[in-house]
């Protein structure tokens, strides 16, 4: 019965995405900041409406922000998607996630001081990737939540979260202009088990959709974002591209992994170990020098509460 229900649900979602007026989230383009709409998703379909908003500014910033516009720029400047409500799971809230960020000034929530315990930012030819370790209870996730994947697709092509937009100023095509942000149409963010990966793939690159695959949601950070990040270390590195998630070489042959359906139960074994891309020019920095907005935000909140 559960399988039949899941199949019926998938058919309904598919019908949502075949409407003649429907535009998939990954196909929508909005310039930042002047072209940002209040909500990127104006549909009211099977999963309802977008829960937050994309037009974010100083009036929306804070612990109750419902901003769904995120950024991945550098080691000290990135966001993660997580629940707007305490004590939740990614599975329960994937369509509603809001942006939790390390920099103030963009109308989002701020990741609480001390939540990040290790971060590696990788600049590769085809993508930017931030991987790390986090006390996920501080961003509204249950301590034991194994998490899941957020991306701009989903079964109904409306994305998870619905209407979630992502921007960066870090691609080479940006020519080092930190004040100009490009929209990223292919990205994935894995959250759970007190770890995370947020990868944004360069739309000017040869294979952004492959490097930011969105179909391997059950095999997590290790296989989608192979990395050498270490808890307790905060570093910026340059590196080569990873193999596209799910692609590996066995006995000289290039093979693509097929993820089994959830109906077959937990994945117990994998036929390969992912190749960790080579990295270089790594620079380590103390977290206290990186996330100064989080410290000042906490101090400000404390001052307001006691003053």
């Amino acid at each position: 019965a559960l399988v039949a229900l899941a199949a019926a649900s998938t058919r309904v979602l598919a019908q949502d995405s075949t409407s003649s007026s429907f535009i998939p989230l990954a196909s929508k383009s909005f310039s930042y900041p002047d072209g940002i709409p209040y909500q990127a998703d104006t549909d009211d379909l099977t999963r309802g409406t977008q829960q937050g908003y994309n037009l974010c500014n100083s009036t929306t910033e804070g612990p109750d922000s419902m901003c769904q516009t995120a950024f991945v720029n550098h080691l000290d400047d990135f966001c993660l998607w997580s629940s707007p409500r305490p004590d939740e799971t990614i599975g329960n809230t994937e369509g509603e996630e809001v942006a939790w960020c390390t920099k103030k000034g963009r109308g989002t929530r701020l990741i609480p001081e001390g939540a990040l315990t290790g971060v590696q930012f990788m600049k590769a030819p085809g993508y930017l990737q931030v991987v790390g370790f986090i006390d996920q209870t501080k961003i509204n996730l249950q301590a034991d939540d194994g998490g899941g994947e957020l991306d701009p697709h989903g079964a109904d092509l409306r994305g998870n979260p619905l209407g979630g937009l992502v921007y960066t100023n870090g691609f080479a095509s940006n020519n080092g202009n930190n004040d100009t942000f490009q929209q990223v149409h292919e990205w994935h963010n894995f959250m759970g088990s007190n770890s995370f990966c947020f990868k944004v793939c360069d739309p000017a690159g040869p294979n952004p959709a492959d490097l930011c695959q969105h179909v391997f949601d059950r095999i997590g950070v290790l296989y989608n974002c192979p990395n050498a990040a270490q808890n307790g270390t905060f570093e910026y590195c340059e590196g080569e591209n990873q193999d596209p998630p799910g692609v590996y070489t066995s006995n000289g042959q290039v093979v693509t992994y097929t993820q089994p359906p959830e109906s077959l139960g937990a994945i117990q074994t994998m036929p390969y170990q992912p190749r960790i891309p080579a990295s270089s020019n790594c620079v380590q920095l103390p977290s206290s020098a990186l996330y100064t907005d989080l410290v000042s935000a906490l101090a400000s909140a404390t001052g307001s509460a006691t003053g």
Side-chain angles (χ1 to χ4, degrees):
L2 290 176
V3 173
L5 180 60
S9 175
T10 301
R11 285 195 295 273
V12 172
L13 293 177
Q15 289 169 5
D16 279 353
S17 61
T18 56
S19 167
S20 60
S21 62
F22 178 80
I23 301 175
L25 177 61
S27 298
K28 296 181 179 181
S29 295
F30 306 102
S31 61
Y32 184 89
D34 295 337
I36 298 291
Y38 178 70
Q39 290 182 316
D41 187 329
T42 56
D43 292 305
D44 186 359
L45 302 172
T46 302
R47 288 202 287 161
T49 59
Q50 181 175 345
Q51 296 299 295
Y53 40 77
N54 302 103
L55 193 59
C56 312
N57 52 41
S58 60
T59 67
T60 67
E61 186 168 287
D64 298 319
S65 175
M66 290 297 290
C67 182
Q68 293 179 311
T69 299
F71 299 83
V72 177
N73 296 320
H74 211 285
L75 176 60
D76 66 340
D77 186 1
F78 64 89
C79 304
L80 301 172
W81 295 118
S82 193
S83 171
R85 299 184 301 276
D87 197 32
E88 274 288 2
T89 67
I90 292 293
N92 286 343
T93 60
E94 62 179 6
E96 310 166 52
E97 312 299 22
V98 297
W100 295 72
C101 306
T102 62
K103 288 284 189 186
K104 59 184 178 182
R106 301 192 182 115
T108 68
R109 301 186 187 205
L110 291 177
I111 298 172
E113 182 191 17
L116 296 167
T117 59
V119 179
Q120 181 191 70
F121 189 93
M122 179 70 70
K123 184 173 184 177
Y127 56 85
L128 304 173
Q129 174 178 283
V130 58
V131 178
F133 305 87
I134 189 169
D135 177 353
Q136 65 189 30
T137 64
K138 294 186 176 182
I139 55 171
N140 285 352
L141 296 181
Q142 295 174 9
D144 60 353
D145 181 29
E149 178 188 10
L150 296 314
D151 62 61
H153 300 280
D156 56 4
L157 304 183
R158 298 175 68 193
N160 285 309
L162 295 175
L165 299 179
V166 177
Y167 292 83
T168 185
N169 62 12
F171 291 141
S173 54
N174 221 48
N175 298 316
N177 186 346
N178 290 339
D179 295 323
T180 302
F181 295 89
Q182 296 174 265
Q183 185 177 352
V184 182
H185 294 278
E186 295 293 348
W187 52 268
H188 55 212
N189 178 198
F190 289 84
M191 300 293 299
S193 300
N194 292 305
S195 62
F196 63 86
C197 166
F198 204 146
K199 185 195 301 169
V200 294
C201 290
D202 192 341
N207 56 346
D210 289 334
L211 289 170
C212 280
Q213 268 288 0
H214 58 91
V215 297
F216 299 110
D217 57 319
R218 302 183 63 208
I219 56 177
V221 171
L222 176 62
Y223 286 86
N224 286 276
C225 312
N227 66 87
Q230 300 179 61
N231 204 356
T233 298
F234 296 81
E235 64 179 0
Y236 167 90
C237 296
E238 297 174 355
E240 63 182 22
N241 284 343
Q242 69 169 87
D243 298 326
V247 175
Y248 63 100
T249 301
S250 177
N251 297 322
Q253 299 294 314
V254 177
V255 181
T256 299
Y257 171 72
T258 300
Q259 181 176 268
E262 289 189 46
S263 59
L264 296 181
I267 298 173
Q268 301 293 339
T269 60
M270 289 291 292
Y272 73 103
Q273 287 295 311
R275 178 185 66 87
I276 296 177
S279 61
S280 61
N281 301 322
C282 292
V283 178
Q284 295 184 4
L285 294 165
S287 62
S288 59
L290 292 169
Y291 308 118
T292 55
D293 278 359
L294 306 190
V295 174
S296 61
L298 181 63
S300 175
T302 302
S304 298
T306 58

